[in-house]
Amino acid sequence: GFPEIRAIFLAQFHPDQGPIVRMSVPEDAVDVGENAYTDTGATNRSSELRDTGAMGGIVSSNNNFAHEPEVVELIKRTTARGGPSLVDSSKIDFNSIQTLIIPKLTLFERLITVNTGRFKVMCYPVAIEGNYARNMFIFNMCFAFDISADTKCYGPVVKRVGSLLKELEVTGRLLSDVAGTRALLMMMRQLVNKLNDHGEYQIELDLKGLSQPMASTGISIKLFPYYENPATIEAFHVPVKLVDFDVARRKSAQTVYQQHASNDIMWDLVLDKVAEGIDNVNHVRRIARQAQIPEPTVVLALQHLDYYGCIALVDIFQFSNVYEAQARVKD
C-alpha cells in the first residue's frame, strides 16, 4: 500500500514575522515553539531569499541536474547545540527546519524532502511576485510521513498540490485572502482522509467570497505506484519469468474489455512473440533470432516486462551456478 500521511501543514513567509505555520492538520501536529512567530532575522530575510547562492553543505540532488535539481533531499538535526532536544518527539519541530521549508530562491518550485526527528517532510515551495508586501508571496504546503516511509509515490502529488495552489492564488488570492482560510482547511482535511483511506482525492473547492472567475473549482488527485526506471538490458542477459504470462495476458484483457474478454485477445504482437521465447534459458540475442525480431525491439519489450516486475534479468554465466554437459554435446 501507500505510506500514510501523518500531517499536512501550510507554511508561509510573513513580511514582518518571517516563516510561520498558518494552519495544520491535525491542529497540534507541528511544534512551533516559543519563537515560532518572532524570527530575529526577519528584517534581513528578504535579501537572503533573493540570494541565488546554493545552500552549501546541506543540499544534494537526486539527478544529474546539479544547477536546477528537480528533487532535493535535505537533512536537518533537531537537537539543539549544547544539550538534548526539548521538542516533543511526537510533533514536527518547525523551528529546526523553517529555513529549509522557506528556502532560497534557487530551490523554489523544486520537490524537497526534509528529514527531521521521526518525520520525513515533503514539500514544494512556491514564490509569487506581485502586489504583495515585499512584492512577493511565499508559501509551502508540506506533507509529513514516518521517517522510514518510502514516499516516492507522493512526489507527483506534492508537486501537483503546490502547482494548483499557485494557480488558485494567482487567479483569486486563495491563500493571501483571509476569506480563503475555510476552503484551505477543508481541502487539507480532505487530503489527509481521502489519500490515506482511498489513495485518491476529488473535491469541489468552495471559492465564494474570493475574486475567482468561478464560485467553485474541482481538484482531482490520485496516487500511483512508483516504479524504478528499467535496467539496461544487454544481449547476454537471460530473462527469467516471475509471473505466469498466460494468466497475466488474460488479466490484462479482462481489465480492458471486462466480461467480453476471450482467449483470442492477445498482447502487443511483438511483446507476445518475445514472451514465447522466454524459457528462463534463452538469452536476449537468441530470443531475437528465434522470433525474427530486431534485437533493439526485443530489448524494448523486455524493458517493458522488467518495469512491471514480470521478469528478472540474470547473466548467461554465473559463478554460483553449476554447469553440466548434456548428451547433445556429442552432436
Side-chain angles (χ1 to χ4, degrees), residues 48-113:
E48 179 185 345
L49 285 167
R50 294 184 181 278
D51 180 9
T52 56
M55 300 175 67
I58 59 171
V59 179
S60 62
S61 173
N62 280 358
N63 56 22
N64 296 325
F65 300 99
H67 298 292
E68 293 187 358
E70 181 65 23
V71 180
V72 179
E73 290 188 354
L74 308 174
I75 300 177
K76 182 71 174 179
R77 299 184 184 276
T78 57
T79 304
R81 293 183 180 179
S85 174
L86 301 177
V87 178
D88 186 350
S89 61
S90 64
K91 299 182 180 181
I92 302 165
D93 181 13
F94 180 71
N95 282 338
S96 69
I97 60 173
Q98 60 179 349
T99 56
L100 309 180
I101 298 299
I102 307 294
K104 297 183 179 180
L105 289 181
T106 49
L107 296 180
F108 277 91
E109 299 197 17
R110 300 284 185 269
L111 189 61
I112 294 177
T113 301

Side-chain angles (χ1 to χ4, degrees), residues 163-319:
S163 300
L164 285 171
L165 291 177
K166 178 182 179 181
E167 182 179 351
L168 291 173
E169 170 61 24
V170 170
T171 58
R173 302 288 179 131
L174 174 65
L175 285 84
S176 58
D177 192 334
V178 179
T181 301
R182 180 175 173 275
L184 273 173
L185 190 57
M186 181 183 67
M187 185 190 76
M188 292 169 64
R189 289 172 177 168
Q190 291 288 331
L191 272 173
V192 173
N193 295 333
K194 296 296 184 181
L195 291 181
N196 282 344
D197 294 342
H198 308 290
E200 58 183 316
Y201 166 81
Q202 186 172 1
I203 188 176
E204 287 289 329
L205 199 60
D206 186 5
L207 304 177
K208 294 179 181 178
L210 298 172
S211 56
Q212 289 278 357
M214 298 180 293
S216 64
T217 185
I219 297 177
S220 298
I221 295 173
K222 184 176 177 64
L223 286 170
F224 293 94
Y226 178 85
Y227 297 102
E228 297 287 350
N229 291 331
T232 301
I233 299 179
E234 305 291 348
F236 53 79
H237 280 146
V238 177
V240 178
K241 294 180 181 179
L242 299 180
V243 299
D244 188 332
F245 285 169
D246 292 333
V247 174
R249 187 182 292 109
R250 288 196 298 271
K251 288 289 185 181
S252 62
Q254 291 172 0
T255 300
V256 177
Y257 297 98
Q258 301 299 329
Q259 298 179 353
H260 300 290
S262 65
N263 293 331
D264 296 332
I265 298 175
M266 308 294 286
W267 282 349
D268 172 82
L269 295 177
V270 172
L271 192 62
D272 195 61
K273 196 71 174 178
V274 169
E276 291 178 0
I278 299 177
D279 60 358
N280 303 341
V281 176
N282 290 338
H283 53 80
V284 173
R285 183 158 294 171
R286 180 181 293 174
I287 293 173
R289 290 174 178 172
Q290 290 180 351
Q292 297 182 350
I293 298 174
E295 189 174 310
T297 306
V298 172
V299 168
L300 288 175
L302 293 175
Q303 284 181 329
H304 185 82
L305 293 173
D306 180 43
Y307 183 81
Y308 288 104
C310 297
I311 61 172
L313 298 167
V314 298
D315 292 340
I316 296 178
F317 296 103
Q318 298 186 61
F319 291 105

